[in-house]
């Protein structure tokens, strides 16, 4: 009877997961083998043709490389900055409430509003960065219009947005560490750096794993900022996988190929999840 009661409690959640997660994923996988019919014609089965075209698609390769660079830039920077900010806020400095507000404000702002704020910073000739460079006598830079600077500019926006959000989790974890550990370390003559390195950071590893998972997901679902900042340009220099999927599926209405791209993105996220939970999860707990 207890087993039946437990399954009845789980049933609503299982139904929602199946309806909004597993069914769309299976349906997308099936759809990736079909070419959309035009003018009301039925969809045509094309087998692995979409996946074969992936190997020849230069825009896909560029978006994939961009996304890997984007993840490599945003994940360590946002986690390191969030941890540093949490240490500062938790240190009991004067103006702690103001610090928390400053760090957390980017998190509560809508993504489009954040992109518009940074668009003002990056605007050629009139933007804040150009005003500073002009005051220093430096020549102007088209930050979002240059292939060499467009992607780093988008990375800076993502780090600014995510670090404050991740800082909240680190701050909560720091406040759960018993003060007696710091007192014991002090009695043993351990330096502050040694205490943080051997006690605090290992105790924060479960939080770091949680933050790492969220940062990885954010890195591969980034699309909002691109609409306002670069729209994937110039010459696809800042195009990411999800933005390319949007363009293929809803701008060019090639939903079959868009489904194949989506399966590749799901594959990357699945591999990341296996690596994070299958490998790192066993090593993050303090022993």
């Amino acid at each position: 009877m207890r087993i039946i009661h437990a399954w009845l409690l789980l049933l609503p959640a299982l139904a929602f997961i199946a309806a909004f997660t597993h069914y769309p994923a299976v349906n997308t996988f099936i759809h990736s083998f079909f070419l959309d019919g035009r003018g009301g014609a039925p969809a045509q089965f094309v087998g692995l043709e979409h996946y074969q075209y992936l190997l020849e698609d230069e825009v896909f390769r560029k978006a994939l490389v961009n996304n890997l660079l984007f993840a490599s830039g945003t994940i360590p920077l946002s986690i390191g900055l969030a941890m540093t900010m949490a240490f500062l806020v938790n240190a009991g400095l004067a103006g702690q409430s103001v610090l928390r507000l400053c760090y957390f404000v980017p998190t509560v702002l809508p993504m489009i509003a954040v992109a518009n704020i940074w668009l003002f910073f990056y605007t050629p000739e009139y933007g804040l960065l150009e005003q500073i460079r002009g005051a220093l006598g430096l020549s102007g830079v088209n930050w979002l219009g240059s292939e060499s600077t467009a992607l780093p500019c988008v990375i800076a926006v993502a780090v600014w947005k995510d670090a404050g959000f991740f800082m909240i989790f680190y701050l909560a974890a720091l406040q759960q560490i018993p003060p007696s550990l710091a007192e014991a370390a002090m009695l043993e003559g351990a330096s502050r750096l040694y205490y943080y390195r051997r006690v605090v950071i290992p105790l924060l590893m479960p939080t770091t794993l949680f933050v790492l998972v969220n940062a990885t997901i954010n890195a591969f679902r980034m699309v909002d900022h691109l609409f306002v900042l670069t729209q994937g340009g110039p010459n696809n220099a800042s195009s990411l996988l999800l933005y390319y999927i949007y363009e293929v599926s809803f701008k060019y209405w090639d939903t079959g190929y868009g489904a194949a791209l989506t399966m590749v993105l799901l594959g990357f996220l699945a591999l990341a999840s296996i690596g994070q939970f299958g490998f790192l999860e066993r090593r993050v707990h303090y022993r």
Side-chain angles (χ1 to χ4, degrees), residues 105-171:
V105 161
T107 302
V108 298
L109 291 175
M111 303 285 269
I112 299 300
V114 167
N116 276 291
I117 292 171
W118 281 84
L119 189 62
F120 165 73
F121 292 165
Y122 292 139
T123 302
E125 300 183 9
Y126 304 104
L128 180 62
L129 294 180
E130 287 306 290
Q131 295 290 334
I132 295 173
R133 288 178 64 86
L136 296 175
L138 302 174
S139 58
V141 175
N142 188 354
W143 297 97
L144 298 176
S146 169
E147 291 188 30
S148 60
T149 56
L151 186 60
C153 287
V154 176
I155 289 175
V157 176
V159 171
W160 182 78
K161 173 74 176 172
D162 288 343
F165 179 63
F166 297 149
M167 183 268 291
I168 300 300
F169 297 104
Y170 278 117
L171 184 60

Side-chain angles (χ1 to χ4, degrees), residues 204-263:
L204 291 179
M205 289 310 290
T207 304
T208 301
L209 177 62
F210 173 77
V211 169
L212 179 63
V213 171
N214 281 275
T216 305
I217 293 172
N218 288 347
F220 283 93
R221 74 174 185 180
M222 173 61 68
V223 67
D224 317 55
H225 294 167
L226 296 182
F227 280 105
V228 178
L229 292 174
T230 64
Q231 297 189 359
N235 192 24
N236 297 307
S238 61
S239 183
L240 304 179
L241 271 180
L242 192 55
Y243 186 80
Y244 185 50
I245 290 172
Y246 158 76
E247 282 193 319
V248 169
S249 301
F250 302 108
K251 194 172 179 181
Y252 308 124
W253 289 108
D254 189 353
T255 55
Y257 185 49
L261 290 168
T262 303
M263 293 313 301

